[in-house]
């Protein structure tokens, strides 16, 4: 039995090990690096693993950021649509569309009638001002600013009346209109500092027109707030166009003249809360004008009129006007 087992062990010793043969890959497969005599550097392996880890971390960070932006966007979409910071300033977009357009053919005939009447009334007033103040710019500006601030007092008066009777409560509308009246009041102070009110007849005409205009606006606002807001938009558009033409004709001369002290105190004030409040198409602190000379002053006044026009247009489409500060604080609170 032992003799027969010896040749078997010898034969097995001479034959190749089946395990080694099984580990040899087929010819059509590529050999592993170690089989080809290639040494793998541990540093290369470590760096490759690090890049993979950093890529995974970056992907997770990007995914979390996109999720957070989606949540903030959902919060902003819950508020009324505002042009806000996405709308460029008149000086940034190279001008302001001062052309009035009527409602489309599909619009309500009442709206078209209101707008047509407002445009006719505005054109009539402009025709009279062109005759009286053809070559007297500062006096014309004084009259314009005296009249332009009246509608906001009228709007506030009617809103206060409605609130007293318990018919409605629109605190943001009152707040924005008060900020608009304060802005127009400082425009008036600037024109007085430039001598626009030096003639008694100009002062009488401006104040008598403002007295009459107040009661007309109150009646119009009680009849149709949309019509009253559109008429104020027409007035503000004319004011913007008037200042824009004045700047183009007298720009070089205005750059040589100093700015009035009242303009510097207003536009360079540390507290510009009310200045931001009437600009409902902008985010707060997004507009900070410069006041280096008289040209800058009239540029600021012109751009203020453009912001008034945007606010009046927004009042015609939104049932309730939102204060810029109120919207911003609400978005931040909800985002938190």
């Amino acid at each position: 039995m032992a003799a027969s087992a010896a040749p078997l062990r010898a034969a097995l010793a001479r034959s190749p090990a089946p395990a080694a043969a099984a580990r040899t890959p087929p010819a059509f497969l590529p050999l592993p690096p170690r089989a080809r005599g290639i040494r793998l550097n541990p540093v290369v392996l470590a760096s490759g693993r690090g890049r993979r880890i950093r890529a995974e971390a970056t992907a997770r960070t990007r995914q979390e950021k996109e999720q957070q932006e989606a949540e903030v966007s959902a919060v902003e979409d819950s508020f009324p649509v505002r042009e806000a910071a996405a709308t460029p300033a008149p000086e940034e977009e190279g001008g302001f569309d001062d052309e009035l357009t009527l409602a489309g053919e599909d619009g309500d005939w009442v709206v078209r009638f209101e707008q047509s009447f407002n445009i006719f009334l505005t054109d009539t007033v402009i025709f009279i001002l062109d005759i009286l103040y053809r070559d007297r710019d500062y006096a014309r500006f004084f009259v314009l600013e005296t009249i332009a601030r009246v509608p906001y007092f009228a709007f506030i008066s009617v809103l206060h009346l409605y609130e007293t009777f318990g018919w409605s409560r629109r605190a943001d509308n009152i707040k924005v209109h008060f900020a608009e009246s304060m802005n127009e009041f400082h425009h008036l102070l600037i024109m007085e500092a430039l001598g626009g009110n030096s003639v008694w007849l100009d002062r009488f005409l401006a104040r008598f027109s403002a007295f009459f205009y107040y009661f007309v606006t109150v009646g119009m606002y009680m009849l149709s707030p949309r019509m009253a807001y559109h008429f104020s938009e027409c007035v503000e558009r004319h004011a913007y166009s008037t200042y824009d033409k004045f700047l183009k004709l007298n720009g070089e001369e205005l750059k040589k003249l100093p700015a009035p002290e009242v303009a510097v105190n207003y536009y360079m004030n540390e507290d510009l809360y009310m200045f931001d409040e009437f600009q409902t198409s902008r985010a707060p602190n997004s507009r900070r004008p410069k006041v280096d000379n008289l040209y800058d002053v009239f540029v600021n006044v012109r751009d203020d009129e453009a912001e008034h026009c945007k606010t009046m247009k927004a009042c015609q489409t939104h049932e309730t006007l939102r204060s810029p500060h109120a919207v911003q604080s609400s978005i931040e609170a909800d985002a938190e």
Side-chain angles (χ1 to χ4, degrees):
M1 190 71 176
S4 62
L8 180 59
R9 285 195 298 269
L12 290 174
R14 289 193 302 268
S15 62
R23 287 195 297 270
T24 305
F28 62 86
L29 292 178
L31 294 175
R34 294 184 182 277
R36 295 199 301 267
I38 302 176
R39 285 190 173 185
L40 295 179
N41 193 338
V43 178
V44 175
L45 291 176
S47 62
R49 189 179 300 108
R51 284 195 297 270
R52 185 172 64 255
I53 294 174
R54 286 195 298 270
E56 294 175 355
T58 303
R60 286 196 300 270
T61 303
R62 186 183 300 111
Q63 185 178 3
E64 294 174 357
K65 183 178 180 181
E66 292 176 355
Q67 183 178 0
Q68 183 179 6
E69 291 177 352
E71 294 175 356
V72 174
S73 178
V75 172
E76 292 178 349
D77 292 341
S78 65
F79 290 92
V81 178
R82 296 171 62 240
E83 295 172 296
T87 303
E91 63 271 16
E92 295 172 351
E93 61 187 7
F96 179 77
D97 183 14
D98 58 350
E99 294 294 331
L100 284 167
T101 56
L102 294 175
E105 295 181 357
D106 297 335
D108 189 356
W109 68 270
V110 177
V111 177
R112 295 200 302 273
F113 171 77
E114 292 175 353
Q115 295 181 353
S116 299
F117 178 80
N118 289 339
I119 293 174
F120 170 77
L121 188 59
T122 306
D123 290 342
T124 302
V125 175
I126 293 173
F127 177 76
I128 297 174
L129 292 177
D130 288 341
I131 296 176
L132 297 177
Y133 299 99
R134 181 173 300 275
D135 298 323
R136 303 171 58 220
D137 294 321
Y138 290 159
R140 181 191 182 104
F141 298 157
F142 168 77
V143 174
L144 277 177
E145 297 300 341
T146 304
I147 296 175
R149 61 197 294 254
V150 169
Y152 307 119
F153 291 127
F155 300 156
I156 294 174
S157 299
V158 177
L159 290 174
H160 270 294
L161 179 66
Y162 289 167
E163 184 176 338
T164 302
F165 290 159
W167 295 344
S168 70
R169 177 168 292 174
R170 297 184 178 182
D172 280 9
N173 289 59
I174 296 177
K175 184 180 178 183
V176 170
H177 293 331
F178 178 75
E180 289 182 291
S181 67
M182 288 300 296
N183 178 258
E184 297 288 7
F185 170 67
H186 285 87
H187 291 180
L188 181 62
L189 293 179
I190 292 172
M191 301 311 159
E192 290 178 352
L194 295 174
N197 64 336
S198 58
V199 179
W200 177 87
L201 184 61
D202 295 332
R203 297 195 300 271
F204 174 80
L205 179 62
R207 291 163 184 172
F208 176 79
S209 301
F211 177 80
F212 176 75
Y213 184 32
Y214 171 81
F215 291 100
V216 171
T217 306
V218 168
M220 186 182 294
Y221 192 76
M222 297 181 71
L223 178 67
S224 172
R226 179 188 59 230
M227 183 178 183
Y229 284 135
H230 180 263
F231 184 61
S232 184
E233 178 191 352
C234 295
V235 175
E236 298 295 356
R237 284 181 180 271
H238 170 66
Y240 175 90
S241 177
T242 301
Y243 289 123
D244 189 58
K245 293 177 181 177
F246 178 73
L247 285 168
K248 292 177 180 178
L249 293 175
N250 305 277
E252 295 302 324
E253 297 179 4
L254 295 174
K255 291 178 181 179
K256 302 175 183 178
L257 300 175
E261 183 179 359
V262 62
V264 176
N265 293 336
Y266 176 62
Y267 288 109
M268 304 302 291
N269 197 313
E270 295 181 358
D271 184 10
L272 291 176
Y273 181 90
M274 297 303 293
F275 178 75
D276 293 329
E277 183 65 23
F278 80 91
Q279 304 180 67
T280 56
S281 64
R282 289 178 172 273
N285 302 317
S286 63
R287 178 177 170 231
R288 288 295 177 263
K290 63 177 183 177
V291 191
D292 294 336
N293 47 50
L294 190 56
Y295 178 85
D296 292 338
V297 173
F298 277 100
V299 168
N300 297 334
V301 173
R302 180 200 65 181
D303 295 343
D304 288 348
E305 304 297 351
E307 296 299 331
H308 285 295
C309 186
K310 294 176 185 178
T311 301
M312 291 296 96
K313 191 171 184 178
C315 289
Q316 302 170 50
T317 55
H318 300 313
E319 182 178 357
T320 302
L321 190 66
R322 297 300 299 269
S323 164
H325 294 91
V327 171
Q328 185 70 16
S329 60
S330 299
I331 292 177
E332 292 175 358
D334 288 353
E336 291 177 1

